[in-house]
Amino acid sequence: MATTKELVEQINLLFTENRMGDFMDYLADDVVWDMYTSSSGHSRFNGKSEIGAMDDSNMPEHTDFRFTTIVIDNNLASVQGSSTSQKAGGEQYESNFCDIYQFEGDKIIKITSYVVDNT
């Protein structure tokens, strides 16, 4: 079994390479993902199937992630950083984020994301 640090490094690499399908492999079937964003408020996704069905029509085509702070405490990890991306219409999008992961074994059982738009 991978350590929490190894899991977070693998997950960050998937985000950097825009491999969201592979990211899904790290999610428990009953994962809960709370997203708090400055543009759309709070959203909650219950279960891997809801996350997989998210409407990605507003998602960026390419994202450049920069991870600045990673804090790990047993099965919890906090990842802070920023991202730059381009939406389908060519509009530039920048944000700062903090993702908090809770692991059970090699699977994520809870994610809390805070995203603040810079544009």
Side-chain angles (χ1 to χ4, degrees), residues 38-98:
S38 60
S39 60
S40 59
H42 175 249
S43 299
R44 173 173 275 182
F45 300 92
N46 293 299
K48 191 174 179 176
S49 60
E50 275 191 22
I51 294 169
M54 278 194 297
D55 177 17
D56 63 357
S57 61
N58 225 8
M59 297 298 282
E61 288 181 357
H62 171 74
T63 303
D64 177 29
F65 285 98
R66 292 165 302 285
F67 305 102
T68 56
T69 305
I70 299 172
V71 178
I72 296 172
D73 183 18
N74 294 315
N75 66 335
L76 293 173
S78 173
V79 178
Q80 181 181 358
S82 60
S83 67
T84 304
S85 56
Q86 187 172 358
K87 291 186 177 182
E91 178 186 359
Q92 198 74 354
Y93 175 84
E94 294 182 18
S95 65
N96 288 319
F97 65 87
C98 180

Side-chain angles (χ1 to χ4, degrees), residues 4-71:
T4 302
K5 181 178 188 244
E6 291 168 336
L7 290 169
V8 168
E9 288 171 349
Q10 293 165 8
I11 290 166
N12 286 349
L13 179 63
L14 294 177
F15 277 109
T16 301
E17 295 177 348
N18 203 23
R19 294 171 41 204
M20 297 311 293
D22 292 330
F23 168 72
M24 296 293 289
D25 293 338
Y26 286 85
L27 302 179
D29 289 338
D30 59 349
V31 63
V32 174
W33 191 346
D34 283 309
M35 289 187 190
Y36 300 90
T37 66
S38 60
S39 60
S40 59
H42 175 249
S43 299
R44 173 173 275 182
F45 300 92
N46 293 299
K48 191 174 179 176
S49 60
E50 275 191 22
I51 294 169
M54 278 194 297
D55 177 17
D56 63 357
S57 61
N58 225 8
M59 297 298 282
E61 288 181 357
H62 171 74
T63 303
D64 177 29
F65 285 98
R66 292 165 302 285
F67 305 102
T68 56
T69 305
I70 299 172
V71 178

